[in-house]
């Protein structure tokens, strides 16, 4: 597997990036909080699945559903996705994630 990395300063910056990449009319997107990173892994070659872009920031997110206001660059925990003018992120906290583990290993080798 090949990985490309794009580091951000805050989770809000990742939310902005993901919001601009989302298909029109899709306002609920997944985000991972795993092993000290908040990230999304995006396949760059969907057909073969061999090349990925990991957009990330070091940190942790709590909550299951976050409402993000792109204009204010703020998010908050919510119980349900009710507003069509907001983007929502479902925080996934897997017990294990082999693709993320491989990416994190490569990322941490590069930073040492």
């Amino acid at each position: 597997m090949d990985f490309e990395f794009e580091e951000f300063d805050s989770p809000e910056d990742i939310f902005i990036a993901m919001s601009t990449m989302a298909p029109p009319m899709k306002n609920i997107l997944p985000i991972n909080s795993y092993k000290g990173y908040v990230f999304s892994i995006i396949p760059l070659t969907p057909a073969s699945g061999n090349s990925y872009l990991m957009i990330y920031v070091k940190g942790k997110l709590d909550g299951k559903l976050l409402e993000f206001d792109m204009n204010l660059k703020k998010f908050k925990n919510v119980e349900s996705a009710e507003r069509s003018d907001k983007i929502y992120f479902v925080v996934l906290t897997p017990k294990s994630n082999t693709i993320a583990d491989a990416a994190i290993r490569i990322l941490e080798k590069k930073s040492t």
Side-chain angles (χ1 to χ4, degrees), residues 15 18 28-35 37-41 60-66 89-97 100:
F15 293 162
M18 289 185 65
I28 300 178
L29 301 167
I31 191 81
N32 290 282
S33 183
Y34 181 68
K35 293 192 174 180
Y37 292 92
V38 175
F39 63 91
S40 182
I41 295 179
K60 181 181 176 187
L61 282 177
D62 294 322
K64 293 184 174 31
L65 185 62
L66 304 175
F89 288 89
V90 177
V91 180
L92 305 174
T93 309
K95 187 174 181 180
S96 68
N97 183 331

Side-chain angles (χ1 to χ4, degrees), residues 7-57:
E7 183 176 11
F8 288 89
D9 290 326
S10 69
E12 292 87 351
D13 291 336
I14 290 176
F15 293 162
I16 289 171
M18 289 185 65
S19 297
T20 61
M21 289 186 258
M25 304 300 291
K26 182 161 185 161
N27 68 341
I28 300 178
L29 301 167
I31 191 81
N32 290 282
S33 183
Y34 181 68
K35 293 192 174 180
Y37 292 92
V38 175
F39 63 91
S40 182
I41 295 179
I42 301 158
L44 294 175
T45 52
S48 67
N50 288 332
S51 187
Y52 299 92
L53 171 64
M54 179 178 178
I55 60 174
Y56 74 95
V57 65

Side-chain angles (χ1 to χ4, degrees), residues 82-94:
E82 297 175 349
R83 296 186 53 180
S84 61
D85 63 329
K86 304 291 182 195
I87 306 273
Y88 295 90
F89 288 89
V90 177
V91 180
L92 305 174
T93 309

